Amino acid sequence: MGGFFLIYLTKESFGLSLSVFGVLSILIISITKYLWKFKPFSWLFWIEDFSGRYEGKLIYQYQDENGEVMSGELEHIKIISQTGSQINVASFTKKPDGSISSPSINKGMYVENTEDGQHYKLIYNYLNEGSTEQGFPPLRY
């Protein structure tokens, strides 16, 4: 809102200048990429910083082509990188033989508080190369 006010005042006083747009663009990019974590800029954002490496267990369940329910548990790694305007998640699963799965990259994300208000849920869709040995072909869009 303050940026629009600055543009209005500049236009009224000096005529509209491209340099004002340039300065505001640099300011907005700097805030959303680098300064969003620090006060007073952090007050502009409601989301916590989730950046980091997370390891845990992936509990899965799916129905195979014969209708049989398959389930299990695998070691899982998530690497989250974040700016003021975007959260990216890359995740990998360690297969039973110790190899790493193809990376899964998020294509859309929604963040919400848990019912207790103490944690967050990251809900996202992702794409990966599939797993031919498990019968999961890669998805192509």
Side-chain angles (χ1 to χ4, degrees):
M1 189 68 161
F4 293 114
F5 182 68
L6 179 63
I7 291 172
Y8 176 76
L9 286 178
T10 304
K11 180 181 176 201
E12 293 300 312
S13 301
F14 306 106
L16 193 56
S17 170
L18 289 178
S19 64
V20 172
F21 286 116
V23 169
L24 285 176
S25 296
I26 290 170
L27 179 63
I28 291 169
I29 290 168
S30 297
I31 290 171
T32 59
K33 287 202 174 273
Y34 308 108
L35 301 174
W36 69 277
K37 298 180 198 180
F38 308 107
K39 292 180 183 176
F41 305 108
S42 63
W43 297 333
L44 299 171
F45 301 92
W46 63 271
I47 197 71
E48 298 288 328
D49 182 9
F50 298 107
S51 298
R53 178 184 170 105
Y54 301 87
E55 295 187 26
K57 299 286 183 186
L58 174 69
I59 301 169
Y60 64 89
Q61 182 176 3
Y62 66 93
Q63 194 171 12
D64 68 9
E65 65 276 355
N66 299 323
E68 188 175 336
V69 174
M70 308 296 286
S71 62
E73 187 176 287
L74 295 169
E75 290 183 52
H76 193 70
I77 301 164
K78 289 196 182 307
I79 300 171
I80 300 177
S81 57
Q82 184 174 348
T83 66
S85 61
Q86 187 175 2
I87 302 174
N88 292 311
V89 179
S91 55
F92 308 88
T93 302
K94 289 185 182 178
K95 298 178 186 178
D97 67 2
S99 63
I100 301 289
S101 70
S102 65
S104 298
I105 307 296
N106 72 298
K107 292 296 180 184
M109 179 171 291
Y110 178 74
V111 180
E112 67 180 31
N113 284 355
T114 56
E115 290 181 21
D116 65 6
Q118 301 296 314
H119 303 92
Y120 292 97
K121 292 180 190 177
L122 301 179
I123 303 161
Y124 61 95
N125 297 316
Y126 63 89
L127 293 176
N128 63 23
E129 296 176 12
S131 173
T132 53
E133 66 266 9
Q134 292 178 302
F136 300 131
L139 295 175
R140 301 286 183 223
Y141 289 99

